[in-house]
């Protein structure tokens, strides 16, 4: 039976408080996803089943063996709202959801057995006391010292994330598979370490059994409208403001009879954003806000599109991809899971 709010229009739905939605993990499409992770744990001989619950985003509460899953994944109407508000749904497909669950499961297992406090742990992953800022890091894209699981070489963001990513790969496939896939990579040492570690601890009772469910959806009194205002603010990155010279180099100024640059960008906006997102791994909302900003600037500068549009398309997409990637390397890159 669908809740009464499922037929509301976005603007009316946004007025509701998250705690009043009454969404439950057990009766949602997330249940089989969580069960699959539990089955994978069983298949690897791990007896612990981390607590899982609906929260306000993807995370595992610090020091608690639990997995928080964003509440909007628990109902198709909320997924549609998320798509309208944020332009994409993180973990919205079964496969994507499974990858994020395995990653958070890695944190939860770390918390349960306090793995990152072990003496040998830093020699493999680095010191977990490193300043925690996985949103700002400088990945080395071709490094073979890290597994590849979530996009943006996320394993390189922090030792704790490196562990969670390595754990996710270890959990997702039998050892023969990852040994084959990572043959000759330095990352295999991390996978072998996790394999040995899990064999050692998996039969033991966890050191931490439970803890507080931080930001549980049923306790969130904020309205959906406020929730989205906050997240949109967070995702709208502060890209630096010096595009004018670049834009002038890409476009032209007032060639008689030529199309305004903003019109051309408007026409190709969807394809442009899709390809930047595909190849940079950046959030769609972030890229979309950047494109919007550049379009405004093109209008203010009265830029026009040169006649050789094929070249222009290549230049524009290369430029945007490099803006996003440089920003990813040097700026505040707001992704954390
Ligand atoms: Zn993480």
């Amino acid at each position: 039976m669908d809740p009464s709010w499922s037929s509301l229009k976005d603007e009316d739905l946004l007025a509701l408080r998250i705690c009043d939605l009454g969404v439950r993990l057990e009766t949602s499409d997330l249940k089989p996803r969580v069960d699959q992770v539990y089955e994978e744990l069983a298949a690897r001989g791990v007896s612990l089943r981390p607590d899982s619950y609906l929260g306000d985003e993807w995370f595992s509460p610090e020091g608690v063996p639990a997995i928080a899953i964003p509440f909007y994944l628990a109902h198709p109407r909320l997924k549609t709202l998320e798509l309208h508000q944020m332009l994409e749904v993180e973990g919205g497909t079964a496969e994507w959801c499974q990858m994020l669950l395995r990653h958070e499961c890695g944190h939860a297992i770390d918390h349960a057995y306090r793995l990152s406090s072990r003496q040998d742990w830093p020699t493999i992953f680095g010191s977990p006391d490193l300043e925690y800022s996985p949103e700002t890091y400088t990945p080395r894209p071709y490094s073979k010292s890290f597994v590849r699981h979530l996009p943006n070489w996320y394993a390189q963001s922090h030792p704790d994330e490196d562990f969670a990513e390595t754990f996710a790969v270890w959990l997702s496939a039998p050892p023969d598979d990852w040994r084959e896939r990572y043959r000759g990579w330095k990352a295999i040492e991390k996978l072998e370490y996790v394999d040995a570690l899990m064999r050692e601890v998996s039969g033991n009772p966890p050191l931490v059994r439970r803890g507080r469910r931080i930001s549980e959806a049923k306790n969130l009194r904020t309205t959906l409208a406020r929730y989205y205002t906050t997240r949109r603010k967070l995702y709208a990155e502060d890209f630096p403001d010096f595009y004018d010279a670049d834009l002038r180099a890409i476009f032209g100024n007032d060639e008689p009879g030529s199309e305004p640059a903003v019109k051309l960008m408007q026409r190709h906006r969807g394809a442009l954003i899709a390809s930047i997102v595909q190849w940079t791994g950046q959030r769609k909302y972030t890229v979309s806000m950047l494109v919007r900003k550049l379009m405004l600037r093109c209008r203010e500068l009265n830029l026009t599109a040169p006649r050789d549009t094929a070249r222009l398309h290549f230049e524009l997409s290369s430029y945007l991809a490099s803006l996003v990637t440089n920003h990813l390397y040097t700026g505040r890159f707001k992704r954390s899971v």
Side-chain angles (χ1 to χ4, degrees):
M1 181 69 182
D2 259 341
S4 56
W5 48 256
S6 64
S7 54
L8 292 178
K9 284 189 287 193
D10 281 7
E11 60 198 86
D12 298 323
L13 183 53
L14 284 167
L16 298 185
R17 299 189 306 175
I18 294 170
C19 58
D20 295 331
L21 296 171
V23 280
R24 293 180 60 225
L25 197 159
E26 293 71 22
T27 50
S28 74
D29 291 349
L30 291 168
K31 179 72 166 58
R33 302 274 73 79
V34 172
D35 285 346
Q36 187 179 325
V37 167
Y38 289 170
E39 281 164 28
E40 288 173 358
L41 285 169
R44 305 280 164 270
V46 183
S47 52
L48 182 75
R49 303 289 174 267
D51 180 27
S52 48
Y53 66 97
L54 298 178
D56 57 350
E57 59 175 332
W58 284 103
F59 68 103
S60 171
E62 193 54 50
V64 178
I67 300 170
I69 306 167
F71 67 90
Y72 55 75
L73 291 177
H75 195 281
R77 178 67 188 92
L78 297 176
K79 280 166 90 165
T80 308
L81 182 68
E82 170 78 8
L83 183 68
H84 292 165
Q85 293 289 317
M86 306 307 300
L87 307 176
E88 67 185 334
V89 184
E90 192 174 23
T93 63
E95 193 191 357
W96 194 359
C97 182
Q98 216 65 53
M99 289 176 81
L100 287 157
L101 278 172
R102 291 186 192 113
H103 174 97
E104 301 305 348
C105 185
H107 289 307
I109 296 284
D110 172 12
H111 299 157
Y113 293 102
R114 296 206 180 105
L115 298 175
S116 45
S117 306
R118 290 169 60 102
Q119 261 192 342
D120 52 353
W121 201 92
T123 62
I124 304 292
F125 296 105
S127 170
D129 300 329
L130 202 75
E131 189 196 344
Y132 197 84
S133 56
E135 63 275 9
T136 350
Y137 60 99
T138 310
R140 289 170 292 139
Y142 303 105
S143 173
K144 293 194 165 183
S145 302
F146 301 86
V147 297
R148 306 257 181 92
H149 178 67
L150 293 176
N152 290 122
W153 312 281
Y154 195 61
Q156 301 187 34
S157 65
H158 187 276
D160 285 343
E161 301 305 334
D162 191 7
F163 174 81
E165 288 286 271
T166 308
F167 181 91
V169 170
W170 173 83
L171 182 64
S172 65
D176 284 352
D177 285 24
W178 51 256
R179 281 190 184 119
E180 175 63 28
R181 184 175 157 202
Y182 287 96
R183 187 200 303 262
W185 287 48
K186 191 151 171 49
I188 197 101
E189 290 171 21
K190 294 174 177 171
L191 282 158
E192 294 292 357
Y193 174 79
V194 168
D195 193 48
L197 194 59
M198 292 318 297
R199 250 179 291 131
E200 181 192 323
V201 303
S202 58
N204 305 340
L207 303 174
V208 185
R209 285 190 172 277
R210 55 177 64 84
R212 209 161 78 80
R213 289 179 164 189
I214 309 278
S215 298
E216 188 168 12
K218 67 174 192 188
N219 300 325
L220 297 175
R221 292 197 165 74
T222 181
T223 60
L224 285 163
R226 275 195 40 197
Y227 169 74
Y228 281 115
T229 306
T230 310
R231 281 183 58 212
R232 288 162 69 115
K233 225 187 224 163
L234 188 71
Y235 291 3
E237 304 259 350
D238 292 325
F239 284 93
D241 254 331
F242 36 80
Y243 314 120
D244 292 7
D246 300 338
L247 291 176
R248 283 203 176 91
I250 295 170
F251 296 103
N253 257 84
D254 284 335
E255 274 183 59
S258 48
E259 187 181 18
V262 65
K263 262 192 137 167
L264 178 133
M265 282 177 78
Q266 183 67 55
R267 195 144 32 86
H268 298 291
R269 203 171 160 266
L272 188 61
I273 292 172
S275 62
I276 306 300
V277 168
Q278 157 96 29
W279 292 104
T280 62
Q282 181 56 284
R283 289 187 197 274
K284 194 170 179 187
Y285 184 79
T286 307
V287 174
S288 159
M289 288 301 111
L290 175 67
V291 170
R292 174 188 283 187
K293 205 168 162 182
L294 292 183
M295 283 168 65
L296 281 174
R297 201 59 196 141
C298 284
R299 178 179 290 157
E300 286 161 8
L301 297 172
N302 277 322
L303 298 179
T304 53
R307 278 173 222 284
D308 185 357
T309 51
R311 187 187 159 89
L312 176 71
H313 291 166
F314 289 129
E315 285 208 9
L316 191 57
S317 46
S318 310
Y319 173 62
L320 272 165
S322 72
L323 264 188
V324 170
T325 310
N326 287 337
H327 184 69
L328 173 82
Y329 289 179
T330 58
R332 272 185 61 74
F333 173 53
K334 292 159 189 156
R335 181 184 283 276
S336 54
V337 284

